[in-house]
């Protein structure tokens, strides 16, 4: 009887230790899985912080810059040959305009756009679009043949005109 009781007690301690070890491993792995899921969600949910379109070139020394973020739009337009037409403004942006703009942008598709060649050497105007996200900047120059690039440029031009 003595041997039976001792091995029974040993078995209970062994089983309890095994359960505690398994519980610790389960707790650690669940915590690690949660961290991995959070990291994956951060990568998949790039937040656009601003969009910038800069154009420059031409015989008259043209340049323009439009920067839109969630709060405001900043626009400047200069022409070296005729400084009287230079203009610059900053205005508060309507929250619905910002949401409408960023909801229609596919950053991955934009990043895959094929850039065009510079046309400045033949008195053309080069245009560069830069999207700043929580993961960094994505920029493309003269990708006029890409629908995503063109869509962004058209929307930015539209807002530049509306907020004048």
């Amino acid at each position: 009887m003595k041997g039976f009781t001792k091995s029974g007690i040993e078995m209970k301690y062994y089983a309890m230790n095994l359960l505690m070890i398994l519980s610790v491993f389960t707790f650690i792995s669940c915590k690690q899985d949660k961290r991995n899921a959070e990291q994956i969600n951060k990568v998949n949910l790039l937040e656009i912080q601003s969009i910038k379109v800069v154009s420059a070139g031409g015989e008259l020394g043209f340049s323009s810059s439009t920067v839109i973020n969630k709060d405001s739009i900043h626009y400047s337009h200069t022409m070296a040959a005729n400084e009287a037409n230079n203009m610059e403004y900053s205005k508060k942006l309507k929250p619905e305009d910002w949401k409408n703009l960023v909801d229609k942008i596919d950053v991955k598709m934009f990043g895959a756009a094929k850039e065009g060649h510079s046309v400045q050497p033949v008195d053309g105007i080069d245009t560069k679009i830069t999207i700043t996200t929580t993961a960094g900047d994505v920029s493309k120059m003269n990708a006029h043949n890409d629908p995503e690039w063109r869509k962004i440029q058209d929307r930015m031009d539209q807002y530049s005109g509306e907020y004048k």
Side-chain angles (χ1 to χ4, degrees):
M1 191 87 164
K2 225 178 183 180
F4 178 71
T5 311
K6 188 175 181 185
S7 72
I9 291 172
E10 286 175 356
M11 290 299 287
K12 285 182 185 178
Y13 283 122
Y14 176 76
M16 285 178 47
N17 285 338
L18 185 60
L19 285 174
M20 285 191 333
I21 291 170
L22 289 173
S23 297
V24 168
F25 282 129
T26 302
F27 177 74
I28 290 171
S29 68
C30 287
K31 207 167 192 174
Q32 186 64 37
D33 288 345
K34 185 178 179 184
R35 279 191 213 129
N36 289 343
E38 288 171 356
Q39 288 173 346
I40 289 168
N41 284 339
K42 285 180 184 177
V43 168
N44 290 337
L45 297 174
L46 291 178
E47 183 180 338
I48 296 175
Q49 297 175 324
S50 68
I51 303 148
K52 181 178 187 176
V53 177
V54 176
S55 298
E59 291 179 10
L60 301 176
F62 169 81
S63 71
S64 73
S65 172
T66 305
V67 181
I68 297 179
N69 60 37
K70 70 177 187 168
D71 299 322
S72 57
I73 179 169
H74 306 279
Y75 177 79
S76 76
H77 169 99
T78 60
M79 193 171 301
N82 187 357
E83 292 181 15
N85 289 335
N86 293 353
M87 130 184 348
E88 187 172 342
Y89 64 83
S90 295
K91 295 192 176 184
K92 186 174 179 172
L93 188 72
K94 297 175 194 168
E96 60 269 17
D97 286 343
W98 173 251
K99 183 172 177 7
N100 190 24
L101 177 63
V102 298
D103 284 352
K104 293 181 179 174
I105 294 176
D106 185 335
V107 177
K108 287 183 183 178
M109 291 295 289
F110 174 76
K114 184 178 179 196
E115 292 185 303
H117 298 287
S118 175
V119 292
Q120 278 190 357
V122 290
D123 293 327
I125 296 173
D126 287 339
T127 301
K128 182 177 184 179
I129 298 175
T130 303
I131 298 175
T132 301
T133 71
T134 50
D137 291 351
V138 180
S139 64
K140 296 292 176 172
M141 184 180 290
N142 295 339
H144 299 284
N145 294 328
D146 183 81
E148 188 67 26
W149 190 91
R150 187 85 207 153
K151 178 177 70 174
I152 294 168
Q153 183 184 28
D154 291 345
R155 296 292 291 165
M156 294 290 283
D157 289 346
Q158 176 189 347
Y159 286 132
S160 294
E162 285 179 16
Y163 281 87
K164 247 181 197 178

